[in-house]
Amino acid sequence: MAARLKKQGGVCWLCGGVIDTDLPHLDPMAFTLDHVIPVSLGGAVDDPRNVRPAHRACNMKRGTGRGKPRTAGDRSAGW
């Protein structure tokens, strides 16, 4: 599941920024798989509907909370 999402590339569902899938996995801007409903709060670990691509730093910042993703409108509002 993670490999499929990483191969697709895309944007971080939390900040809206592009994810560089070539970065080393410990880089703060590297690809990680984030669970929409955290596993610690009962979210399914292997349900494709419960995972989204995220930057490592964004995923860590969100932690086990239920932080909401930004929309494209939110991202452009800061410009």
Side-chain angles (χ1 to χ4, degrees), residues 8-33:
Q8 292 174 352
V11 299
C12 175
W13 85 289
L14 296 168
C15 76
V18 174
I19 300 173
D20 181 349
T21 57
D22 292 327
L23 291 172
H25 74 280
L26 293 178
D27 188 288
M29 299 306 284
F31 170 89
T32 61
L33 190 67

Side-chain angles (χ1 to χ4, degrees), residues 11-16 34-36 52-54 62 67-70:
V11 299
C12 175
W13 85 289
L14 296 168
C15 76
D34 188 31
H35 291 88
V36 177
R52 302 286 186 276
R62 179 173 178 250
K68 295 189 178 182
R70 289 186 172 185

